[in-house]
Amino acid sequence: MTNNPTIQELSHEDRSFPPPADFAAAANAQAVEYEKAAADRIGYWEEQAQRISWETPFDTVLDWSDRPFAKWFVGGRLNAAYNCVDRHVENGLGDRVAYYFEGESGDTRTITYSDLLREVSKAANALTELGVKTGDRVAIYMPMIPETVFAMLACARLGAPHTVIFGGFSASAIADRVKDCGVEFVITADGGYRKGKPSALKSVVDEAMEDCPEVRNVLVVRRTGQDVDWNDDRDLWWHEVVDRQPEIHTPEAFDSEHPLYIMYSSGTTGKPKGIMHTTGGYLVGTSFTHWAVFDIKPDKDVFWTAADIGWVTGHSYIVYGPLANGATSVLYEGTPDTPHRGRWWEIVQKYKVSILYCAPTAIRSFMKWGRDIPAQYDLSSLRLLGSVGEPINPEAWMWYREHIGGNRCPVVDTWWQTENGSILISPLPGVTETKPGSAMRPLPGIVADVFDDEGNSVEPGNGGYLVVKEPWPSMLRTLWGDEERFKKTYWSQYPEVYFAGDGAKIDRDGDFWVLGRVDDVLNVSGHRMSTAEIESALVAHPKVAEAAVVGAKDEMTGQAIEAFVILRESADDGGDDVVNDLRSHVRSSIGPIATPRSIMIVPDLPKTRSGKIMRRLLKDVAENREVGDVTTLADSSVMDLIQKGMKES
Ligand code: 6R9
């Protein structure tokens, strides 16, 4: 590993923001949390486990004897749905709102914890009637509607692990997951509303089912009322089966290590990985982090994770974390620009959202649309902002802080992965003096580091591989049906250490800068550089809305930097001047080594449905190869436009 300057030095990042005094004084998590966890990590997790109601208390906090297969809270028994729903009603909080649901087309529903208990109980009774048993896997392919949560919790209540498949996936992606997971029961809807139109889901499931003869039933929620084909032997309407069920259902307690769900990773290459989470540790991890990182005050806050339930962020911070903590959340079905570009801010204003959690890609879209749009709404209810999913460039961080947070809300950049189950690296909003673009420190109880190729901790300022050195409660337990791949992917680079697959640096203050996937790290003439660093420099230019950088093979330098840039709407329409401008901008902000070989102005970037830029496809373009598999793109026409532009230029 070469001695590179830190990202701070590269991007001249010297701004930092202490928590506002009143926020700090009232914060859930104070600095003492770090001290307690450092003094006794296992004891710390034992204490955090008290957030959860155990039907049978655990006798051992962690069994790590069969590493890398961890067992947490051994001997404990609990029911996840009971923890998310029943106990709050038993504690007299039945009238508290669990969800403010906002449909894309403006229809709304308010669901209290009592409503949730009734709906989840009925759904659990229905699944039981239909033969779903403890241990059976249930696939859920749904829009962002309350029934999605009811279905997940009904599965959890029965100990039937769910596998939620993002509602934008194709029939073949569904079939792959259903088969890999041995699913015999599917829950879907006729369709959902997206970008102002009903989009079909049932017909996609129908197509997938042609390849999945083992599925015996498909339970269908009526959401849009659109026409659907019907297979009388297999298909059932939710309202016909669930509505007539008894409203009482007694939950059964399961072992702490009973599987709660399987989530297939968004993996951009190869067969998807079935990441398996279990019950006790996952609930402890999600409820603890939701308390510590989001400072949740369940009787006051309105919490909004603007992500899809079909991704881990939705599982942990729309469903399990907030519900375990008895919080009130917003559940929004649609897209940020339907019917207009102020939709999110209208929702914040309407429900007085106090904590917002979203992805940098959304923030950069809002930047592109301009600050005047959020300025038209009352965002004064907001008190804390979070970011997740990819490195947030300092400019987007600053824009978020200023134009959404009114320079008053702490911004928490939270690093974690599907595999992690819950946030691992993040500021504590009432404690940490944050730096734009840094996820700052491992949370109390988490032991992370940055290693070089040999497995030594890198010197401050040097780049390396992000690792987690001790197990944590919400860690994945295995890959479904593939223990070897689990061991090889995460535990083979360094003995007994979790390899995250991300590059990172630790600066001289000990703060972490996550640079993106290791496969996004470039090597130009022996200099290690992150795509994120160069993208960050590009996006800092006033004319740039969004940028993606890839390394293309180069005979002289090993790799050469190729940039794809979307201009802001206010900028002129590109041309050589802009390109030259941007090249010299990157040169002056990072150094000549970072100067892109070419910069292409594009109308859009290829993204997965979870918003991650698919650099692999851009690399194909940059290296003049046939473009690879585009089926996981949110909009596959983007690649045609980019290639066309490439030929013309
Ligand atoms: C929660 C989630 C995981 C990958 C991860 C990393 C990137 C997520 C980040 C971040 C920099 C952050 N990532 N959060 N990179 N800073 N705050 O997104 O899970 O979909 O599994 O993605 O996302 O590269 O390895 P998942």
Side-chain angles (χ1 to χ4, degrees):
M1 206 123 337
T2 48
N3 278 10
N4 282 334
T6 67
I7 190 171
Q8 269 171 293
E9 287 153 1
L10 290 168
S11 56
H12 311 294
E13 186 51 75
D14 50 14
R15 295 166 288 201
S16 70
F17 299 91
D22 52 343
F23 192 108
N28 287 349
Q30 300 288 338
V32 65
E33 302 295 326
Y34 291 115
E35 291 157 30
K36 286 197 311 196
D40 177 8
R41 191 175 58 85
I42 295 295
Y44 189 72
W45 286 123
E46 181 173 10
E47 190 185 319
Q48 301 317 316
Q50 306 315 317
R51 300 177 183 284
I52 296 305
S53 300
W54 300 85
E55 195 240 25
T56 308
F58 52 88
D59 45 54
T60 306
V61 177
L62 168 66
D63 176 357
W64 190 226
S65 58
D66 184 24
R67 56 196 74 178
F69 300 96
K71 291 195 181 76
W72 281 90
F73 310 116
V74 185
R77 295 181 73 81
L78 75 166
N79 185 290
Y82 173 83
N83 271 278
C84 289
V85 190
D86 307 44
R87 63 171 177 157
H88 305 310
V89 178
E90 288 170 11
N91 289 337
L93 302 174
D95 292 337
R96 181 180 291 168
V97 174
Y99 293 105
Y100 290 115
F101 168 70
E102 177 89 15
E104 195 189 67
S105 47
D107 56 319
T108 61
R109 283 162 77 182
T110 299
I111 291 149
T112 65
Y113 276 91
S114 293
D115 296 334
L116 196 57
L117 177 57
R118 190 183 61 244
E119 296 306 324
V120 172
S121 297
K122 287 196 301 188
N125 285 324
L127 294 187
T128 303
E129 181 186 305
L130 296 170
V132 175
K133 294 184 299 299
T134 304
D136 291 354
R137 276 82 59 206
V138 174
I140 299 178
Y141 182 72
M142 295 274 271
M144 287 276 288
I145 56 174
E147 281 76 8
T148 311
V149 182
F150 306 159
M152 290 166 74
L153 293 175
C155 289
R157 211 172 173 86
L158 300 178
H162 52 72
T163 183
V164 179
I165 302 169
F166 173 63
F169 271 133
S170 64
S172 64
I174 300 173
D176 287 348
R177 285 158 176 75
V178 162
K179 285 188 288 191
D180 189 73
C181 211
V183 165
E184 294 178 10
F185 195 94
V186 176
I187 306 177
T188 188
D190 50 358
Y193 292 102
R194 248 193 112 64
K195 295 189 190 292
K197 292 192 297 270
S199 73
L201 294 171
K202 166 77 164 63
S203 61
V204 186
V205 171
D206 288 342
E207 193 187 330
M209 292 303 104
E210 287 170 20
D211 207 14
C212 303
E214 32 324 281
V215 171
R216 53 170 209 279
N217 283 125
V218 176
L219 185 60
V220 188
V221 175
R222 185 182 276 159
R223 164 70 181 139
T224 60
Q226 67 201 96
D227 286 339
V228 288
D229 288 341
W230 206 254
N231 176 338
D232 286 328
D233 297 330
R234 188 195 66 197
D235 300 340
L236 300 149
W237 282 114
W238 173 285
H239 57 266
E240 286 176 4
V241 185
V242 177
D243 285 1
R244 60 175 167 74
Q245 297 293 330
E247 294 181 359
I248 305 287
H249 177 272
T250 309
E252 184 189 336
F254 301 106
D255 190 273
S256 178
E257 285 298 336
H258 188 79
L260 179 63
Y261 70 82
I262 296 136
M263 158 126 289
Y264 284 84
S265 84
S266 56
T268 39
T269 51
K271 180 174 173 273
K273 298 179 282 198
I275 291 161
M276 189 183 95
H277 285 291
T278 59
T279 310
Y282 178 78
L283 277 190
V284 171
T286 52
S287 65
F288 163 66
T289 51
H290 186 245
W291 171 87
V293 175
F294 296 116
D295 193 47
I296 194 78
K297 309 284 193 306
D299 54 342
K300 296 195 193 82
D301 281 311
V302 177
F303 182 77
W304 183 17
T305 292
D308 198 285
I309 291 183
W311 304 117
V312 76
T313 303
H315 277 48
S316 298
Y317 299 107
I318 298 177
V319 182
Y320 289 105
L323 292 180
N325 289 341
T328 298
S329 286
V330 167
L331 178 65
Y332 172 53
E333 180 184 30
T335 45
D337 53 354
T338 307
H340 57 79
R341 289 174 169 183
R343 188 73 162 112
W344 276 26
W345 319 121
E346 187 179 71
I347 291 172
V348 168
Q349 174 177 289
K350 176 172 174 185
Y351 295 107
K352 299 195 168 38
V353 172
S354 53
I355 305 165
L356 175 67
Y357 189 36
C358 68
T361 184
I363 299 165
R364 288 193 298 263
S365 293
F366 298 131
M367 285 174 78
K368 184 172 87 175
W369 298 341
R371 68 176 95 156
D372 297 348
I373 295 177
Q376 290 159 23
Y377 298 88
D378 178 4
L379 306 182
S380 63
S381 56
L382 287 170
R383 67 180 192 92
L384 175 60
L385 302 174
S387 169
V388 62
E390 50 174 325
I392 178 163
N393 49 296
E395 288 321 300
W397 195 102
M398 290 299 294
W399 191 93
Y400 193 30
R401 181 184 148 84
E402 183 177 347
H403 298 292
I404 305 305
N407 289 323
R408 109 195 136 257
C409 306
V411 175
V412 288
D413 173 17
T414 65
W415 177 85
W416 60 296
Q417 313 170 291
T418 306
E419 291 87 343
N420 306 150
S422 59
I423 298 165
L424 297 193
I425 304 181
S426 164
L428 287 180
V431 178
T432 313
E433 183 161 331
T434 52
K435 300 171 183 170
S438 170
M440 304 304 289
R441 301 281 170 98
L443 289 177
I446 301 299
V447 187
D449 201 351
V450 177
F451 274 5
D452 65 15
D453 291 317
E454 281 74 49
N456 304 309
S457 302
V458 297
E459 293 294 317
N462 287 354
Y465 302 104
L466 185 54
V467 296
V468 189
K469 296 203 282 194
E470 298 290 348
W472 65 99
S474 64
M475 64 199 282
L476 81 164
R477 298 302 194 263
T478 190
L479 294 177
W480 183 261
D482 203 344
E483 291 190 346
E484 280 314 307
R485 191 174 179 196
F486 169 68
K487 289 195 246 180
K488 185 162 176 290
T489 310
Y490 307 107
W491 304 96
S492 66
Q493 282 78 4
Y494 308 109
E496 299 183 10
V497 163
Y498 172 83
F499 178 79
D502 277 326
K505 294 178 182 181
I506 303 182
D507 67 18
R508 284 178 181 78
D509 302 328
D511 297 320
F512 284 63
W513 297 77
V514 180
L515 305 174
R517 301 298 305 180
V518 214
D519 34 21
D520 292 342
V521 173
L522 309 179
N523 192 324
V524 182
S525 307
H527 294 270
R528 193 175 259 270
M529 246 175 314
S530 150
T531 54
E533 288 170 336
I534 304 163
E535 287 166 8
S536 187
L538 284 166
V539 178
H541 190 281
K543 286 187 180 157
V544 175
E546 212 168 343
V549 165
V550 297
K553 278 200 197 72
D554 186 284
E555 293 207 339
M556 292 298 287
T557 58
Q559 282 188 311
I561 299 162
E562 298 273 348
F564 296 79
V565 166
I566 308 180
L567 294 180
R568 284 192 195 217
E569 272 174 12
S570 54
D572 50 24
D573 60 355
D576 284 351
D577 283 349
V578 182
V579 169
N580 289 335
D581 213 336
L582 293 179
R583 296 182 89 236
S584 62
H585 171 75
V586 174
R587 198 178 306 124
S588 61
S589 45
I590 304 182
I593 187 68
T595 315
R597 182 173 71 183
S598 76
I599 296 180
M600 190 178 165
I601 309 295
V602 292
D604 208 344
L605 290 168
K607 288 184 190 155
T608 62
R609 294 179 178 95
S610 64
K612 291 191 172 57
I613 295 171
M614 287 186 76
R615 293 186 181 73
R616 175 171 66 78
L617 298 178
L618 295 172
K619 213 172 148 94
D620 290 344
V621 172
E623 296 184 347
N624 285 319
R625 262 196 311 273
E626 206 184 332
V627 171
D629 182 12
V630 296
T631 50
T632 54
L633 279 183
D635 177 1
S636 55
S637 65
V638 169
M639 285 316 295
D640 296 334
L641 289 172
I642 292 176
Q643 281 176 293
K644 195 162 158 269
M646 193 80 175
K647 286 197 193 95
E648 282 166 8
S649 66

